[in-house]
Amino acid sequence: WQFCIWKLLLVIFLKDSLMWYIQNHGRGEETLHGPIFIQEPSDITYSMGSANPEILLNCTAKGYPLPYYRWKQNGTDIDLTMSYHYRLVGGSLAINNPHKNQDIGTYQCLATNSFGTILSRKAKLQFAYLENFETRPRSPVSVREGQGVVLLSLSYTWIFNNTTLDLREDSRRFVSQATGNLYLAKVEPWDVGNYTCAVSSAGAQRQARGAPTALSLRADGVMGEYEPKIEVRFPETTYAAKGSSVSLECFALGNPVPSISWKRSDGNSLAKKIQHNRTGGVLEIPEVEQEDEGSYECIAANTRGINIARGQLFVYAPPEWDKKIQNAFLSLYDSLFWECKARGKPSPSYSWLKNGQPLMSEVRFLSPLISSSSFHLFIYPIQAKPFWDSVAPVCLFFPRVVLLEDGSLRISNISKLDAGVYTCVATNQFGTARNSGNLVVKERTVITIPPSDTDATVGESIVLPCQVSHDPSLDVAFSWSFNGQRIDLSRGIHHFERIGRESAGDLMIRNIQLNHSGKYVCMVQTSLDSQSATADIIVRGPPGPPEDVKVEHVSSTTAGLSWKPGADNNSPVQIYSVQTRTPFSVGWQAVATAPEVINGRTHKATVVDLSPWVEYEFRVVASNSVGIGEPSRPSPGNEDSIKTVDTCRPLLTALSPQPVSEELQNGEGFGYVVMFRPLGSTSWTKAAVASVESSKYIYRNESITPLSPFEVKVGVYNNEGEGTLSSISIIYSGEDEPQMAPAGASALSVSAAAVEVSWLPIPWNRHTGRVLGYEVLYWIDDPKESTAGKVRVSGNVTAKNITGLRANTVYFAAVRAYNTAGTGPSSTPVNVTTKKSPPSQPPANIAWKLTNSKICLNWEHVKTMENESEVLGYKILYRQNRQSKAHILETNNTSAELLVPFEEDYLIEIRTVSDGGDGSSSEEIRIPKISSKKLQNFESRGWTGRK
């Protein structure tokens, strides 16, 4: 034991002595130490037009012994024996007659002496050059007036008719500083001319001009109004270093010219330091800080609609050291723990290098890994004679990596650093077996911009974002579901369209409707993992029609109404209004009510200021913050309760507003005095009505002609005498129903579901009766069926289309006149047979191709069944993908040509035309947007067939 103790003390003394010697011996240049960089290479951009034929990448290090130098390009050692191209100047690398294809890349300097090797920071060598434009002339561009146009370029300046364009004050024109393209939001007649792109480069020290592009107006009409189409979109994801400046571009085509505005999608307000250019198309964020990180929106709007572009700004900070490692002096077999800590965003990862090479299995890592070579380190071993150490071996514990009892290896919280080849070794007394497997670690798929809950108004177009970050080696697939049902975007459903690029599955909902309210789920799938995000959409619209409108009581000038509320369509009803229609009015008109303003919680009202002796219909309309809804069904007609006189001639009815209550009768023997005379007469006829409860007096006289005007006033009396009389009112005697049947009735088959019935008008006079309109009766002469119908037309109309009929069926029809007294005699019945059903089969085997800027189509002739109408021709319905209105071309052939511009995708369908009406339509065909450069390739492809 004494021997062991003395031996241990001797080792400790030798170790401490040697460490003191190394740290303190030779304070001057003779001190032994490893290489330390004095100067490291920096990024260089070399102009191809430079007069200097050589590039110098600096590298200087100190150390004792003096270090020698090596260089790497793109991770590969450079052969410095190529003296004609590379040479060392000290430790710096000189490149003679640099060539951009050969010398572009990343360079690192390595300094080595007997203590080891250090590796410099990476320096990028880039080349600035500007080549001439293609010599071939550019194709002219022809557009409709009002249409938007994009002229492609390489850089920043455009010249118009040899005059440099000034775009700073013009919201119609925009030059992208990212691509150099020129955008005209809406072409005006004075935009016609020659446009030339001029490209200059300070680095390349030269300027180049392209061939001019001629812009002209087409002669086939002016472009109609359409919603904004965003042509310049800032990236879905933008990364910016803290302290740098960021410019986001956004510009839209549209008619009228869209306005551009910006906001943050995350609800934060735009920082005050943020600047806009004069057209609003560029958002500039100077001196980016952490609080500038977030989602940004560009909103392009005009009177036709709104379109939105979204993107995410991420702010990062390069790593900065919090704790640096220091040189260490150790004896052989000593353990070493170095703490290395840095800050940055994203959080730095860590890696270790030994002599410029990644450190392998001899080191156990207790912290993550980062690629960094800014600080190097040296271990100075102190050699001593080995001796037995009684200390038990130390085993480091790593809970993230666990060897299970059955020999399996479990790795938790896996990262890319765990990737590699793993070998399992099994040993027993008979030998050893090995098995290896390769662990490949991919980046996790993350939804960076998920869809958010949205309120929308009927008719709007909205975009639900769904943008992801994923491993670039994996393909990503997007799908959407609505209320649990998958949306099949491949079928070209009218309202739904996926937009965005590879890492975006944004869903656009065009012309959104009430039935689009619900839960939307974006599902992202790769071969390794999947993610989903959910958003709820509430679509708000004008209210639905009120229901069950009833007339509860009627007087000579008022009517009490009640109704039940309809659907509020996600926006509470604010106001109800009442409309009325009479046989004498033209359409429905608003009417005064009590209360004057009917709030959304009130479902009763009294209509006031009505005229006596008029038949009224009522309907109710609801309004909310979105708009005015559809009106209710008209109140049920009740002639006796709504009209103010009987309809039997010769009668004259005078009405009291309401019975007088007992407290106002002021005595016994109460009754009413009714006085009336023909309008224009001087003498009054007087009558007494003794009943207190009476509110009606009927005067019968066979000599009164229909609809004769009378002046009427009503008073009261009792045993004490007569009271005051009311003011004079004008009422009319009753009328007879029409006395004649319409002549000349006939019927014509229009289609499989409609016929037209016509007749001659009845001349009106006092003997034939007034005519307010006509009533058409129609039926099937089949005792097994009771199918019959009745439609009315008001005014002097002499024809009516009857729809909703059965195909290939005999119908009978008759016509009669009507007025407020009722209907007159019917005409002699006429019969007509509806046409056969339209063809049930749609056009098939449709093929298309592009040639001479035209879409050529052909298809097979449709054969019909025995009970179907023959095909007389075809209708081609075509529209731009972003437009809802379709154009129609009719043809008798099984082929057609469409002369259309290719600035948008086109949707085309074909349907049959027959006597029985239009038949079934084919499935929609999508013709993709084709640039003029690609058009020639499409013209040579031949026919593209789709069934």
Side-chain angles (χ1 to χ4, degrees), residues 90-103:
S92 301
L93 177 67
I95 304 175
N96 185 41
N97 295 323
H99 190 279
K100 64 182 178 68
N101 293 334
Q102 176 183 347
D103 297 320

Side-chain angles (χ1 to χ4, degrees), residues 166-187:
D166 183 3
L167 299 169
R168 292 175 297 175
E169 301 290 341
D170 195 341
S171 62
R172 285 192 313 111
R173 297 182 288 188
F174 179 78
V175 172
S176 168
Q177 297 304 307
T179 65
N181 296 345
L182 169 63
Y183 299 84
L184 300 181
K186 173 188 173 185
V187 174

Side-chain angles (χ1 to χ4, degrees), residues 748-812:
L748 176 66
S749 178
V750 176
S751 69
V755 298
E756 181 185 71
V757 180
S758 59
W759 58 92
L760 297 176
I762 297 176
W764 182 83
N765 57 54
R766 290 187 179 272
H767 301 290
T768 60
R770 186 175 60 145
V771 174
L772 295 181
Y774 297 90
E775 193 172 75
V776 181
L777 307 173
Y778 60 95
W779 66 94
I780 295 176
D781 190 14
D782 188 344
K784 297 179 181 179
E785 295 193 21
S786 58
T787 304
K790 177 175 64 176
V791 292
R792 275 190 172 188
V793 295
S794 60
N796 199 28
V797 177
T798 60
K800 176 62 177 176
N801 267 19
I802 302 174
T803 59
L805 306 180
R806 295 192 306 193
N808 198 25
T809 303
V810 178
Y811 280 86
F812 292 83

Side-chain angles (χ1 to χ4, degrees), residues 613 639-640 643 645-649 651 734-737 820-822:
W613 179 239
E639 296 177 351
D640 291 334
K643 284 163 55 175
V645 297
D646 285 347
T647 59
C648 181
R649 189 184 67 83
L651 297 177
E735 67 175 341
D736 279 339
E737 62 271 5
T820 58

Side-chain angles (χ1 to χ4, degrees), residues 223-414:
M223 189 72 175
E225 293 187 353
Y226 61 97
E227 66 183 17
K229 176 188 175 187
I230 296 181
E231 282 288 345
V232 181
R233 291 177 179 265
F234 54 99
E236 298 168 1
T237 303
T238 300
Y239 293 92
K242 183 179 178 181
S244 65
S245 295
V246 172
S247 293
L248 304 179
E249 292 188 342
C250 180
F251 193 73
L253 312 183
N255 186 8
V257 175
S259 63
I260 303 294
S261 60
W262 296 82
K263 74 172 186 177
R264 289 186 62 155
S265 307
D266 48 22
N268 296 326
S269 57
L270 293 175
K272 293 182 179 179
K273 66 181 179 180
I274 288 181
Q275 305 168 358
H276 303 79
N277 72 338
R278 296 186 180 182
T279 64
V282 179
L283 185 76
E284 297 180 357
I285 309 176
E287 298 180 1
V288 170
E289 299 292 337
Q290 190 58 49
E291 54 266 25
D292 296 319
E293 184 174 278
S295 181
Y296 289 79
E297 286 185 4
C298 163
I299 302 100
N302 64 12
T303 57
R304 302 297 296 181
I306 295 176
N307 212 335
I308 299 176
R310 293 184 176 91
Q312 192 83 6
L313 174 62
F314 292 98
V315 179
Y316 66 88
E320 297 181 21
W321 291 107
D322 283 339
K323 291 186 178 180
K324 304 176 183 178
I325 55 179
Q326 303 294 330
N327 291 344
F329 302 87
L330 303 174
S331 298
L332 292 176
Y333 310 113
D334 278 356
S335 298
L336 171 66
F337 171 76
W338 260 318
E339 185 176 9
C340 170
K341 187 176 182 181
R343 64 179 180 273
K345 186 180 180 188
S347 298
S349 58
Y350 300 82
S351 64
W352 289 79
L353 304 177
K354 175 183 176 183
N355 291 331
Q357 299 296 324
L359 207 57
M360 302 305 287
S361 59
E362 65 266 25
V363 174
R364 299 291 184 269
F365 295 104
L366 296 178
S367 60
L369 301 175
I370 187 175
S371 177
S372 173
S373 58
S374 299
F375 299 93
H376 303 282
L377 56 101
F378 293 93
I379 302 173
Y380 298 90
I382 301 174
Q383 297 187 6
K385 186 175 181 181
F387 64 94
W388 288 106
D389 191 345
S390 61
V391 180
V394 177
C395 180
L396 295 177
F397 176 69
F398 298 98
R400 198 175 67 84
V401 182
V402 177
L403 183 64
L404 303 179
E405 291 181 359
D406 63 354
S408 301
L409 187 68
R410 184 176 68 197
I411 306 175
S412 305
N413 192 24
I414 203 163

Side-chain angles (χ1 to χ4, degrees), residues 63-80:
Y64 193 79
L66 290 175
Y68 65 92
Y69 299 91
R70 293 179 294 129
W71 281 83
K72 290 179 178 287
Q73 180 192 13
N74 299 329
T76 303
D77 288 335
I78 295 176
D79 184 1
L80 295 174

Side-chain angles (χ1 to χ4, degrees), residues 141-161:
V141 177
S142 180
V143 296
R144 293 189 180 98
E145 181 182 341
Q147 184 177 346
V149 71
V150 183
L151 300 180
L152 304 181
S153 172
L154 296 176
S155 192
Y156 308 99
T157 305
W158 282 83
I159 296 173
F160 176 52
N161 291 340

